[in-house]
Amino acid sequence: MSNDTIPEVPEVTDADVFITRAFDAPHEVVWSFFTRPELLALWFGPKEVHVDPASVVIELEVGGRWELDMVDNATGERYPMRATLVVVTPPEYLEGAAEALPGSGPQNGLRLRIWFHDHGSKTRLTLHQGPFTPEFRDMTCLGWESSFLKVDELLASGIAS
């Protein structure tokens, strides 16, 4: 189910999204927000979208799927995200070879890497994703930041306690 080594953060380029932030929860709890379908469906995507819970597939093993469909709240348009997990080290690291299918065309060849670290009573998450065109990099960064605000709200509500 896992790989023995957790990679270091690769060089960050202008084509990458790179976010480091802390969540007010132990890292096993934050890990569950990325690995439990019912939790992932509650927060993933910017505020203008929601995730169709029936679309979420998480096969937490190397070669497994990590998939979901974001749905535009106003139009109903679907934005699939598909990844094949290439490294799974619970509860410390996830890496997927990802493909996003935004309305203006696919973004292929993406890597999504997420590190989870103890940070006192909190969890420090480091996310590295790319490469993107500048437009999609900026849009993706805003999407993650909006999504993480939803995680903060869910943690404050005690939903994952």
Side-chain angles (χ1 to χ4, degrees):
M1 176 183 256
S2 68
N3 292 33
D4 293 331
T5 58
I6 297 173
E8 297 293 320
V9 176
E11 180 180 345
V12 178
T13 72
D14 288 342
D16 298 329
V17 170
F18 183 76
I19 299 170
T20 298
R21 67 159 359 254
F23 291 99
D24 193 13
H27 83 260
E28 292 84 359
V29 171
V30 177
W31 170 267
S32 72
F33 274 80
F34 288 82
T35 59
R36 289 181 39 202
E38 70 276 12
L39 291 177
L40 185 65
L42 293 175
W43 66 268
F44 194 91
K47 63 184 176 184
E48 300 83 13
V49 305
H50 66 278
V51 170
D52 173 1
S55 73
V56 182
V57 177
I58 299 174
E59 299 169 345
L60 205 54
E61 61 190 15
V62 173
R65 298 181 300 160
W66 193 86
E67 302 179 351
L68 57 82
D69 288 358
M70 292 181 287
V71 181
D72 187 289
N73 294 334
T75 67
E77 185 173 358
R78 296 177 85 85
Y79 305 104
M81 181 168 178
R82 305 290 182 255
T84 300
L85 295 174
V86 296
V87 182
V88 179
T89 308
E92 299 171 12
Y93 182 72
L94 280 176
E95 181 174 339
E99 177 181 318
L101 301 167
S104 58
Q107 293 287 293
N108 298 314
L110 302 174
R111 281 292 176 155
L112 173 60
R113 299 171 178 97
I114 308 167
W115 293 261
F116 303 82
H117 302 279
D118 285 329
H119 194 67
S121 62
K122 298 181 179 190
T123 299
R124 181 173 43 85
L125 178 138
T126 302
L127 181 143
H128 179 266
Q129 186 178 19
F132 291 101
T133 62
E135 174 191 4
F136 283 110
R137 179 203 58 224
D138 295 347
M139 183 174 60
T140 299
C141 189
L142 291 172
W144 280 115
E145 290 170 356
S146 178
S147 295
F148 291 158
L149 292 175
K150 292 181 194 177
V151 173
D152 289 335
E153 291 171 5
L154 290 166
L155 289 170
S157 77
I159 197 160
S161 300

